[in-house]
């Protein structure tokens, strides 16, 4: 009886340790994604990481993301009609959803709370990534272009001129500027 209880206790401790390790790995990956969002890595790379994290949370179920601009990132199944597809809209702060995060399952499987939680967490993370990228792009545009005329401003002109002069220097070509 003691051996049975000891074996059961050891199995429980082992499963709890495995779960704690898995949760720590999920948190590390999530933290890395948030750092990448703040580090301004390309949006497609970040969305791929989010899809991979969601797939990992769902025991490597095929997951993909479809963004409203038409991009599809992740592992889209070859024959989605034969699978049960679950989707979660990627919410926008205002307006229509920014896209949808999908996962594919065996058609006989039943929806679970873990499935809904993983898709919701992934969709929220994708929302943060997409909206942060859009805000940054808008700030860059506003800092380099006149809001009224949408022409480059002096800051942008200086930056562009420096790049063109350097390019001309590297190519040993002639560079000219007419300024009115």
């Amino acid at each position: 009886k003691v051996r049975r209880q000891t074996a059961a206790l050891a199995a429980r401790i082992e499963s709890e340790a495995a779960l704690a390790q898995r949760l720590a790995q999920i948190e590390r990956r999530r933290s890395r994604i948030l750092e990448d969002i703040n580090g301004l890595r390309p949006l497609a790379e970040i969305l791929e990481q989010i899809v991979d994290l969601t797939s990992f949370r769902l025991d490597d179920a095929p997951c993909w993301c479809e963004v409203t601009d038409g991009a599809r990132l992740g592992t889209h199944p070859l024959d989605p009609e034969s699978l049960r597809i679950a989707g979660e809209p990627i919410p926008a702060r205002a307006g229509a959803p920014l896209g949808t995060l999908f996962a594919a399952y065996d058609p006989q499987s039943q929806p679970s709370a873990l499935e809904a939680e993983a898709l919701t967490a992934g969709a929220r993370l994708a929302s943060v990534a997409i909206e942060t990228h859009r805000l940054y792009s808008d700030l860059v545009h506003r800092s380099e272009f006149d809001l009224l005329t949408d022409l480059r401003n002096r800051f942008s002109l200086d930056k562009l001129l420096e790049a063109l002069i350097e390019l001309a220097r590297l190519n040993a070509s002639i560079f000219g500027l007419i300024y009115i």
Side-chain angles (χ1 to χ4, degrees):
K1 184 177 178 180
V2 170
R3 278 190 215 129
R4 237 187 1 240
Q5 288 176 341
T6 303
L9 185 60
R12 193 176 102 221
I13 290 171
E14 194 174 300
S15 69
E16 287 175 359
L19 178 63
Q21 184 179 9
R22 184 173 172 82
L23 291 174
Q25 188 174 8
I26 289 169
E27 188 55 34
R28 278 193 304 273
R29 289 173 80 170
R30 186 180 154 282
S31 295
R32 191 175 317 122
I33 289 169
L34 290 171
E35 288 173 8
D36 288 346
I37 291 170
N38 289 330
L40 301 173
R41 289 200 47 190
L43 181 61
E45 287 180 25
I46 295 170
L47 291 176
E48 286 280 354
Q49 290 176 341
I50 293 169
V51 167
D52 288 344
L53 175 61
T54 304
S55 177
F56 179 75
R57 288 187 71 180
L58 296 172
D59 297 322
D60 296 324
C63 293
W64 69 98
C65 173
E66 293 180 2
V67 185
T68 54
D69 68 2
R72 179 188 285 170
L73 304 157
T75 308
H76 188 272
L78 297 175
D79 188 21
E81 292 80 26
S82 66
L83 300 169
R84 179 176 66 82
I85 307 294
E88 179 71 26
I90 299 171
R93 221 177 285 157
L98 304 169
T100 308
L101 183 64
F102 294 99
Y105 302 96
D106 184 278
Q108 275 69 22
S109 67
Q110 296 297 316
S112 68
L114 174 65
E115 173 185 309
E117 179 187 331
L119 285 172
T120 300
R124 287 183 182 158
L125 206 51
S127 175
V128 169
I130 293 168
E131 290 198 337
T132 300
H133 178 74
R134 286 183 178 175
L135 285 171
Y136 179 76
S137 296
D138 184 53
L139 284 173
V140 167
H141 183 79
R142 287 171 182 252
S143 72
E144 295 181 354
F145 290 83
D146 181 75
L147 295 176
L148 181 63
T149 63
D150 206 34
L151 296 173
R152 290 188 177 273
N153 62 19
R154 190 167 294 176
F155 167 76
S156 176
L157 177 66
D158 289 344
K159 198 164 106 177
L160 181 64
L161 279 175
E162 286 177 19
L164 290 172
I165 291 169
E166 184 62 29
L167 182 64
R169 187 175 295 137
L170 290 174
N171 294 331
S173 61
I174 298 173
F175 177 77
L177 171 69
I178 298 175
Y179 186 78
I180 300 174

